[in-house]
Amino acid sequence: MVVLFEQKHDVGGQWLFDPDVEKEDPLGATKFMEVHSSIYNSLRLLSPREIMGYTDFPFLVKEGLGRDTRRFPGHRELWLYLKEFSVHFGVRELIRFNTRVEYVGMLEGNDLKWVVRSGKLDDDIISSGNGDVNDVDYDLSIDRVERNGEVVEEVFDAVVTWKRKQMHSHVYRVPQPFQNQVVVMVGNSLSAQDISMELAGVAKEVHISSRSQKNFMEGFSKVISKHEKLHLRPQVLFFFVPRS
């Protein structure tokens, strides 16, 4: 059994538009952001819809009230596509919305199982974690569930997480912080290609993880083939976290 924890009230991540930014710290000084998405109301896709969809679930034009049939639609149309994807493949039923992971650790006396504590957020709170445990995927069986008020403690056979540096392109500004580091770029969008080129100038290695090499522009493919620091990799299937 797989359980996904999502702090927002719906799927979409960056594409889940939130117009209410009144409670957000203008300087981003709080530990947990009230609004995760950076989408503004008039934003449209820079890339055409045919390269924005998954290969096994194309981003097709949908007719109907409120649908955007343009080749470069507005952000809401992509969010609707992601919702349809989550329903079509049964992902939505695996997600616990409005839930924040508070703690992850090994089960005492058993180094093969993990304790996970999560808390239910109020429906009107929309948060995004900035800590070590962010967008955590949980795999295999659940042995025990204990409820203590709004906190849920569960034991899992495996936990997928990432404790090293991770960031979305939303907060990328300059390449210098990645000096001599090994970087994995997940995705091959236009922004990912731009950032990869910048990072190649300072990083030790840049590995670009893409679900399909067909989506690369011909010019960028030639750049990768000639640049010793740029490496094209297949889509990331899982992360292995070594025991300390």
Side-chain angles (χ1 to χ4, degrees), residues 29-228:
T30 56
K31 180 179 180 180
F32 295 104
M33 294 185 293
E34 295 291 340
V35 179
H36 174 66
S37 174
S38 303
I39 300 297
Y40 45 90
N41 190 53
S42 62
L43 185 141
R44 288 178 59 182
L45 301 189
L46 179 64
S47 303
R49 64 168 66 235
E50 54 264 32
I51 70 171
M52 291 294 290
Y54 296 101
T55 54
D56 53 353
F57 194 75
F59 188 12
L60 303 176
V61 173
K62 296 290 184 69
E63 302 286 348
L65 183 64
R67 300 306 296 250
D68 191 337
T69 60
R70 294 174 295 182
R71 190 185 183 201
F72 297 84
H75 60 84
R76 182 177 181 273
E77 187 68 15
L78 180 56
W79 173 64
L80 291 174
Y81 164 78
L82 294 175
K83 289 191 67 172
E84 293 164 353
F85 176 92
S86 68
V87 172
H88 179 81
F89 289 101
V91 177
R92 194 178 188 84
E93 61 194 45
L94 304 176
I95 304 175
R96 296 181 188 172
F97 294 104
N98 290 317
T99 304
R100 177 189 296 154
V101 173
E102 306 289 351
Y103 170 82
V104 176
M106 299 300 297
L107 179 64
E108 185 176 355
N110 189 333
D111 62 356
L112 297 178
K113 294 186 181 293
W114 296 80
V115 174
V116 178
R117 297 193 193 107
S118 61
K120 191 73 174 178
L121 300 171
D122 294 335
D123 290 340
D124 61 344
I125 296 179
I126 301 174
S127 303
S128 176
N130 291 328
D132 291 338
V133 183
N134 186 20
D135 296 333
V136 183
D137 294 350
Y138 302 87
D139 201 5
L140 304 181
S141 63
I142 300 175
D143 293 335
R144 172 168 53 88
V145 175
E146 293 182 0
R147 295 185 179 277
N148 179 18
E150 294 185 348
V151 177
V152 177
E153 181 177 291
E154 297 163 280
V155 177
F156 292 88
D157 289 335
V159 173
V160 179
T161 185
W162 181 254
K163 292 187 176 182
R164 297 185 182 182
K165 181 185 296 184
Q166 58 178 326
M167 62 185 294
H168 192 276
S169 59
H170 161 61
V171 295
Y172 172 84
R173 293 297 181 269
V174 293
Q176 281 71 27
F178 299 90
Q179 185 78 36
N180 296 324
Q181 295 188 16
V182 177
V183 181
V184 176
M185 179 70 67
V186 180
N188 65 339
S189 64
L190 294 177
S191 59
Q193 295 177 26
D194 284 344
I195 294 173
S196 296
M197 287 294 298
E198 285 197 358
L199 294 179
V202 299
K204 182 179 180 180
E205 299 174 7
V206 179
H207 300 268
I208 307 170
S209 172
S210 172
R211 64 176 180 269
S212 174
Q213 297 185 21
K214 296 179 180 179
N215 290 341
F216 277 89
M217 294 185 296
E218 182 179 354
F220 190 63
S221 297
K222 292 180 179 179
V223 170
I224 293 177
S225 64
K226 296 179 180 179
H227 205 298
E228 61 179 10

